[in-house]
Amino acid sequence: MRLERPHRTERFGAVRIHELQRVIELDSGHGDEPAGPARTTLQVSPEAIRNIQQDMVIVVPCMNETRRVIEGVLSGIPHGCLIVLVSNSVRQPVDRYEIEAQTVEQFCQLAERPAITVHQRDPGLAAALKAAGAADLIDETGLLRSGKGEAMLVGLALASLTGRRHLGYIDADNFVPGAVNEYCKAYAAALHLADSQYAMVRISWHSKPKLRDGRLFFSRRGRASELTNQFLNQLIGEYCGFGTDVVATGNAGEHAFSLDLGMKLRLAGGYAVEPFEYLDLFEQFGGVLESPHPEVMERSVTVAQIETRNPHFHDDKGDHHVQDMRLQALNVLYHSAVCLPSVRADIQEYLAGQGRLAAGEEPPRERIYPPVGTLALDRLCDMVLTEAHTLRQFDGDDRRAEPPALLHRTRAAAGHRR
Ligand code: GDD
Ligand code: MG
């Protein structure tokens, strides 16, 4: 894969945000060009990409998506990646989770590769997370809260038990397997190029096809992202005294990170999760508040933003849904400990203008969870394996792997990082 070299980088303390880099070639051949400073592009060989993917977990959050679409998504995830599907699909009157698990199992048999699936509302999973120290994740019914951020956190916790070193997220409702494949390739290429072990990659898709008056129109940006990016950029600009438009991926659902970084991140609930990742980086490593991780401050955190080539074509869940997502992003921004009074005032004004807040009222807070790295992971592993009855571990041959399998097998490998 060949990527544009980013020339502009904004710093927020120890966080380095690189400007958007276009994908120049999806496949740039085998040669390994030296990445000298004169080059305007960066080439990553298939071998380098494969090496990262073999060390990567792809977490697929899934809630009531169609079987055919899920199959397409699975087909696009490169062979070396370990798939972890975290479902919050309905189980009655038809058990859609069972259908999803069967779909994954069949895929694993045909593609001869492993995968893990679990249901977010599994009582055993809730018990395991609670015992591991994540009681905030549990709702009044004793089960894990619903929400995309919560599903991502489960995926991150399971990924940490596999011994792999990188994690990427792919939505289950993507209609274009080629786009899924490109995202995973871009994750690997950017993580390979990262010059810090604390690295994040966020995707900004090039276009989203929409039908307008019977014609396809390729719209450039998502409606939620534009607003989130605007306020994140305002925040960065006000700190450094210069306006910026460096953030193009405030809401990026498709993103990846090294687990060295991921284990330290606090995730927010629901759709606040992606914008809050930026805010958490600023809060923990931005140099404004005292960092709990001086070793990260020393090495710095690098954020790459990649503009991919495939159209982003996914299930349209309606205007209401987009509106909710925008609000959740603004809520976490407003309440972030690094948010400046001027940005807060602008957010308040925007929300009041939308009829979402009365004058002087504050937006609601979103849930923020502790980093997965602070949980008792050995405990989590033991309890997930014995009590989470929806946990399925497919080994890629023609029978269901006898638990404990994947998580257990690689636990020793995971141990050395903790
Ligand atoms: N397990 C689980 N639990 N999965 C969920 C949940 C949940 O509570 N809620 C949503 N999902 C799954 C969906 O099934 C889908 O595969 C994926 O998470 C994304 O959810 P969508 O509801 O399709 O979100 P979107 O397409 O509107 O927004 C996406 O793009 C935004 C940026 O444009 C998401 O990835 C957002 O998080 C992102 O900000
Ligand atoms: Mg979607």
Side-chain angles (χ1 to χ4, degrees):
M1 177 171 257
R2 188 186 297 271
L3 303 175
E4 204 169 28
R5 177 195 283 278
H7 293 288
R8 221 161 35 93
T9 298
E10 293 286 356
R11 281 202 83 120
F12 195 119
V15 184
R16 287 177 293 137
I17 308 170
H18 301 292
E19 68 176 338
L20 199 59
Q21 297 167 253
R22 279 181 308 150
V23 170
I24 306 292
E25 280 184 307
L26 291 169
D27 183 338
S28 59
H30 282 270
D32 239 341
E33 290 170 2
R39 286 199 182 277
T40 53
T41 65
L42 299 164
Q43 191 217 27
V44 184
S45 70
E47 294 71 34
I49 289 179
R50 205 171 313 126
N51 283 342
I52 299 274
Q53 287 172 342
Q54 273 164 355
D55 218 359
M56 178 177 274
V57 173
I58 293 292
V59 171
V60 182
C62 179
M63 191 163 83
N64 304 325
E65 307 298 350
T66 29
R67 181 192 158 104
R68 286 293 161 86
V69 178
I70 298 171
E71 262 176 21
V73 167
L74 298 176
S75 76
I77 300 174
H79 191 84
C81 302
L82 173 62
I83 297 168
V84 174
L85 182 132
V86 183
S87 171
N88 192 17
S89 300
V90 294
R91 308 205 60 189
Q92 275 170 347
V94 175
D95 189 345
R96 293 185 70 158
Y97 173 65
E98 216 34 71
I99 296 176
E100 289 159 5
Q102 277 168 19
T103 305
V104 175
E105 179 174 24
Q106 272 171 18
F107 171 76
C108 290
Q109 284 168 4
L110 293 171
E112 299 184 20
R113 58 190 284 186
I116 298 171
T117 67
V118 74
H119 197 275
Q120 193 168 340
R121 306 278 287 170
D122 179 331
L125 178 65
L129 280 158
K130 196 170 173 188
D136 296 356
L137 274 161
I138 314 300
D139 70 12
E140 344 24 83
T141 67
L143 299 180
L144 203 83
R145 293 181 198 285
S146 288
K148 188 190 176 222
E150 287 77 356
M152 285 170 51
L153 196 152
V154 170
L156 171 53
L158 293 182
S160 78
L161 303 177
T162 67
R164 295 195 173 211
R165 294 191 307 130
H166 305 289
L167 163 61
Y169 292 103
I170 295 285
D171 288 351
D173 66 342
N174 196 317
F175 294 144
V176 187
V180 169
N181 191 255
E182 185 186 6
Y183 299 153
C184 294
K185 224 168 163 179
Y187 294 163
L191 287 169
H192 170 78
L193 291 169
D195 55 2
S196 164
Q197 74 197 84
Y198 307 108
M200 182 180 276
V201 192
R202 301 172 76 89
I203 302 292
S204 168
W205 30 263
H206 176 261
S207 65
K208 192 176 200 168
K210 294 204 169 106
L211 263 186
R212 260 196 213 166
D213 305 326
R215 287 185 63 202
L216 266 188
F217 177 78
F218 290 87
S219 126
R220 282 282 286 157
R221 294 275 172 262
R223 287 168 293 170
S225 315
E226 250 167 44
L227 190 72
T228 310
N229 293 342
Q230 176 199 316
F231 280 111
L232 281 171
N233 283 320
Q234 185 187 342
L235 180 68
I236 299 170
E238 295 206 9
Y239 268 105
C240 68
F242 287 88
T244 179
D245 55 4
V246 71
V247 174
T249 55
N251 276 93
E254 280 71 28
H255 62 287
F257 39 67
S258 61
L259 281 185
D260 282 339
L261 177 62
M263 299 295 277
K264 297 180 172 58
L265 284 181
R266 294 177 300 159
L267 297 193
Y271 294 104
V273 59
E274 285 98 5
F276 184 71
E277 285 169 347
Y278 267 118
L279 294 164
D280 195 40
L281 291 182
F282 301 161
E283 290 182 17
Q284 294 203 56
F285 313 116
V288 178
L289 311 171
E290 196 180 334
S291 175
H293 300 290
E295 75 283 9
V296 181
M297 298 300 289
E298 214 168 279
R299 299 274 178 89
S300 85
V301 177
T302 170
V303 181
Q305 305 182 91
I306 313 288
E307 184 178 279
T308 45
R309 291 279 164 182
N310 278 274
H312 188 75
F313 193 19
H314 68 135
D315 195 23
D316 187 349
K317 292 173 176 136
D319 287 348
H320 224 65
H321 172 72
V322 174
Q323 193 58 21
D324 274 358
M325 224 150 53
R326 292 163 74 131
L327 292 179
Q328 292 182 37
L330 296 187
N331 295 344
V332 277
L333 243 151
Y334 181 94
H335 288 289
S336 168
V338 296
C339 192
L340 296 167
S342 52
V343 182
R344 277 204 183 124
D346 287 352
I347 292 175
Q348 241 169 345
E349 194 184 316
Y350 172 83
L351 290 171
Q354 296 284 307
R356 294 288 175 160
L357 281 186
E361 198 188 347
E362 291 213 314
R365 284 180 187 274
E366 301 294 333
R367 290 179 196 282
I368 312 289
Y369 300 112
V372 167
T374 62
L375 304 182
L377 292 170
D378 286 335
R379 190 118 200 245
L380 180 79
C381 190
D382 288 341
M383 283 189 68
V384 164
L385 287 171
T386 51
E387 300 197 17
H389 297 303
T390 63
L391 180 79
R392 308 268 193 279
Q393 303 193 71
F394 304 114
D395 238 351
D397 57 22
D398 60 355
R399 65 195 158 76
R400 204 166 268 194
E402 289 303 315
L406 287 175
L407 297 182
H408 189 73
R409 187 189 317 134
T410 50
R411 208 168 134 199
H416 78 266
R417 281 188 297 104
R418 298 204 292 271

